[in-house]
Amino acid sequence: MSTTATASRRLVLILCILALPCISGIAVAAAAAAGDADAFLHCLETAAVPPQLVHTPGSPSYAATLVSSIRNLRFVAPATPLPLAIVAAAEAGHAQATRFAVLDLAALRNVRVDADRAVAWVGSGATLGELYYAVGAASRTLAFPAGICPTVGVGGHISGGGFGSLMRRYGLAADNVLDAVVVDADGRLLNSTTMGEDLFWAIRGGGGESFGVVLSWKLRLVCVPETVTVFTIRRRRNESASDLITKWQHISPSLPKNLYLRVVVQSKHAQFESLYLGRCGRLVRVMESRFPELGMTESDCEEITWIQSTVYFAFYSSSKPLELLLDRGTKPDRYFKAKSDYVQEPIPIHIWENTWTWLEDHDAGLLILDPYGGEMARVSPSATPFPHREGNLYNIQYYSFWFEHGEETLEKHLSWVRGLYDEMEPYVSKNPRTGYANYRDIDLGRNEIEGNVTSYTKGKVWGEKYFKGNFERLAAVKAMVDPDDFFRNEQSIPPLPAQQGWSSI
Ligand SMILES: *[C@@H]1O[C@H](CO)[C@@H](O)[C@H](O)[C@H]1NC(C)=O
Ligand SMILES: *[C@@H]1O[C@H](CO)[C@@H](O)[C@H](O)[C@H]1NC(C)=O
Ligand SMILES: *[C@@H]1O[C@H](CO)[C@@H](O)[C@H](O)[C@H]1NC(C)=O
């Protein structure tokens, strides 16, 4: 195997564990409120959840079920509290009956595509790969705009917005939700009509695990040409990579909407990765006029179908079998920590030069730069809870990963990613310094309980970083649909205190 192939394969392994904290298929129902185990199990029995679907720490199936949806080994470390029980729901009634446990939605992953109407229904427990596979099998000219990593769970991904290679043309996954089926805090089963406008707004970008359990989503599928074009160009630090990144910041958010060009910066190189909704010939002309410095030519092109492009971005090869999209993985293989930023003014070249010293010193770290603009800039920042629209050039994800267990390794990696993040502060969004809710970052703040519920004032600290002005409306919706704060975790939306009532509700 050539070194490039080895390097690419390594990059694949690195990138596609970006399943990140939107833990595939798991919704946490009131994890903080652990009650009495026996009473709980009895309650489930009377609620008719078959005993084989309830996994408790004593049962042999518990550990495997727990790790099957976890992508970050940090969440299986001894210090992480274990759920009292995992309920592997097989139908809506099991989710409606579940209280005080981790509800595993992995079995609720049916995908039904209606190609004639260009819609799909997908269970929250499906992965993006399973969704893409089903859409690709139904049509060569339909697609769904969502994230690049196929093992990411649909439920968490859509709940937090969900951006990917089609966002500049079609916006977020959440922008393309037509309906949803939700179990609310009272165990009722609701759809977009019966849940009301406010809750339907909140679940499309307000982050998972705050408002209810979304069991399934009705999605608008979007049109793509039968042939799309992809390329990957790698430039080393000593091949003007800093100049290229600097220029990329200026041009990538204003490229035609059907062209997505991201950058992955790692170790000693920057890798430019592109999806174009069109043919190679035109793409070469666009690149020649807008970004000649990259030196992209016809020989860089691969003309493939959209479904092959999902394999290409996930595994860096378009000739791999589509069935790879269906591989959910069964256990985590690494530890990681991610943080994110939004960039609103191009970052000066000397800062990029300085970034190489961070990356070269730390082999296990990388940056992903995802361009916005296009459709992302057209949607109003209050149309959904996801506020990062016009004015944002791109998103940075800082990502550190490692394989060895131990405090020292953990500290080393955390301080690397935090140190780089601190150093970038002057050059990224301010007041507040914003981040992407799906790249959950507990460093931004965590909830505190005041009285019986999560404090709104404390929640604002992290909440406005993910949701800006939409945080208050999210908290008002929370007060309306879950006033007792049944669905809560370190960064769930707190209920807005009554005296602060939100005007439009
Ligand atoms: C939502 O549920 C109601 C009540 O069950 C039903 O009458 C209605 O048709 C559903 N709406 C949609 C869009 O499915
Ligand atoms: C860049 O550096 C690599 C080794 O780090 C070297 O092999 C290569 O020749 C250099 N290229 C240029 C253009 O200097
Ligand atoms: C918290 O809940 C308990 C039990 O429901 C209730 O007795 C108590 O008054 C509540 N406290 C506050 C501050 O709301």
Side-chain angles (χ1 to χ4, degrees):
M1 190 183 278
S2 73
T3 28
T4 322
T6 315
S8 301
R9 218 174 64 161
R10 194 165 140 255
L11 196 63
V12 170
L13 295 173
I14 293 162
L15 290 185
C16 273
I17 29 66
L18 297 183
L20 290 177
C22 29
I23 295 168
S24 155
I26 286 203
V28 178
D36 174 72
D38 291 337
F40 166 72
L41 293 174
H42 176 72
C43 167
L44 277 178
E45 269 166 35
T46 44
V49 177
Q52 71 272 18
L53 298 182
V54 181
H55 308 277
T56 53
S59 66
S61 54
Y62 179 85
T65 311
L66 182 65
V67 300
S68 67
S69 296
I70 290 179
R71 295 284 172 269
N72 187 343
L73 279 170
R74 293 175 66 205
F75 299 124
V76 290
T80 308
L82 293 173
L84 175 65
I86 302 169
V87 178
E91 53 187 63
H94 303 155
Q96 290 174 276
T98 298
R99 293 291 180 265
F100 310 113
V102 164
L103 179 61
D104 182 353
L105 299 180
L108 299 176
R109 63 202 236 213
N110 192 35
V111 188
R112 218 169 64 231
V113 177
D114 181 343
D116 294 337
R117 292 191 173 79
V119 298
W121 272 102
V122 58
S124 273
T127 61
L128 293 179
E130 290 169 340
L131 171 61
Y132 295 161
Y133 186 87
V135 173
S139 165
R140 288 171 68 90
T141 54
L142 289 175
F144 186 69
I148 280 172
C149 290
T151 58
V152 169
V154 159
H157 186 70
I158 299 179
S159 294
F163 67 74
S165 60
L166 291 175
M167 68 173 145
R168 303 195 64 257
R169 178 70 180 81
Y170 291 114
L172 302 171
D175 297 338
N176 292 281
V177 169
L178 299 170
D179 200 347
V181 174
V182 176
V183 175
D184 76 359
D186 297 322
R188 285 177 305 195
L189 203 57
L190 305 171
N191 65 19
S192 64
T193 313
T194 51
M195 80 179 78
E197 202 183 307
D198 293 303
L199 179 54
F200 190 52
W201 175 83
I203 59 172
R204 289 173 296 154
E209 303 169 10
S210 283
F211 302 99
V213 180
V214 182
L215 296 179
S216 58
W217 308 81
K218 183 182 183 183
L219 307 175
R220 178 194 301 120
L221 302 180
V222 300
C223 293
V224 288
E226 233 172 272
T227 304
V228 303
T229 308
V230 294
F231 72 77
T232 296
I233 292 176
R234 182 181 283 198
R235 294 284 180 252
R236 302 184 68 93
R237 179 180 178 181
N238 65 3
E239 293 167 328
S240 313
S242 304
D243 301 88
L244 292 173
I245 298 169
T246 307
K247 173 82 192 264
W248 171 89
Q249 303 174 101
H250 292 267
I251 60 110
S252 63
S254 55
L255 285 171
K257 283 171 104 168
N258 54 4
L259 175 52
Y260 164 82
L261 176 60
R262 75 167 181 175
V263 194
V264 179
V265 194
Q266 187 185 12
S267 182
K268 294 181 169 62
H269 61 260
Q271 184 157 300
F272 295 82
E273 304 173 357
S274 179
L275 170 67
Y276 179 60
L277 301 178
R279 306 294 294 245
C280 174
R282 263 193 111 113
L283 173 58
V284 171
R285 287 198 296 280
V286 176
M287 293 299 293
E288 274 171 356
S289 82
R290 306 294 286 274
F291 198 10
E293 298 84 348
L294 188 59
M296 187 262 173
T297 67
E298 214 162 286
S299 63
D300 294 306
C301 289
E302 272 192 69
E303 291 188 331
I304 55 181
T305 59
W306 169 77
I307 190 65
Q308 284 174 310
S309 82
T310 66
V311 174
Y312 179 87
F313 273 93
F315 305 101
Y316 287 94
S317 161
S318 58
S319 57
K320 295 256 167 65
L322 299 180
E323 282 66 33
L324 277 179
L325 295 170
L326 303 176
D327 184 359
R328 297 172 69 99
T330 51
K331 50 181 195 287
D333 71 341
R334 72 192 55 218
Y335 302 87
F336 66 84
K337 169 69 188 169
K339 299 177 81 68
S340 69
D341 260 322
Y342 281 95
V343 177
Q344 297 172 337
E345 299 286 340
I347 296 175
I349 190 163
H350 71 270
I351 301 304
W352 289 114
E353 280 298 342
N354 177 53
T355 306
W356 295 114
T357 53
W358 284 87
L359 293 165
E360 289 184 4
D361 282 354
H362 187 83
D363 201 30
L366 55 89
L367 306 180
I368 301 175
L369 316 180
D370 258 303
Y372 278 33
E375 180 66 10
M376 291 297 287
R378 199 197 55 78
V379 176
S380 149
S382 59
T384 72
F386 182 99
H388 318 289
R389 305 285 186 163
E390 196 181 3
N392 290 286
L393 301 177
Y394 60 97
N395 177 275
I396 304 182
Q397 182 182 173
Y398 309 86
Y399 182 78
S400 183
F401 62 94
W402 62 101
F403 300 92
E404 290 155 55
H405 177 65
E407 265 322 289
E408 212 174 295
T409 335
L410 172 71
E411 279 315 313
K412 185 178 103 190
H413 290 268
L414 293 183
S415 66
W416 180 83
V417 73
R418 288 171 181 156
L420 177 53
Y421 179 82
D422 287 347
E423 214 164 282
M424 296 301 264
E425 183 175 350
Y427 311 103
V428 297
S429 64
K430 291 176 189 58
N431 307 312
R433 182 178 185 178
T434 51
Y436 175 36
N438 272 354
Y439 297 160
R440 285 279 173 200
D441 181 5
I442 215 76
D443 297 347
L444 300 183
R446 63 176 77 199
N447 284 337
E448 287 176 30
I449 307 298
E450 252 171 36
N452 283 352
V453 300
T454 305
S455 155
Y456 173 72
T457 323
K458 297 279 164 37
K460 249 174 115 136
V461 174
W462 60 264
E464 293 193 335
K465 293 173 182 163
Y466 293 147
F467 304 112
K468 300 178 78 174
N470 294 331
F471 182 69
E472 189 182 351
R473 181 174 177 197
L474 285 169
V477 177
K478 174 77 172 179
M480 211 165 58
V481 302
D482 183 17
D484 298 332
D485 205 18
F486 174 70
F487 298 104
R488 65 169 80 154
N489 61 48
E490 298 94 323
Q491 288 185 345
S492 55
I493 304 293
L496 187 70
Q499 66 275 18
Q500 298 191 37
W502 195 72
S503 51
S504 326
I505 288 192

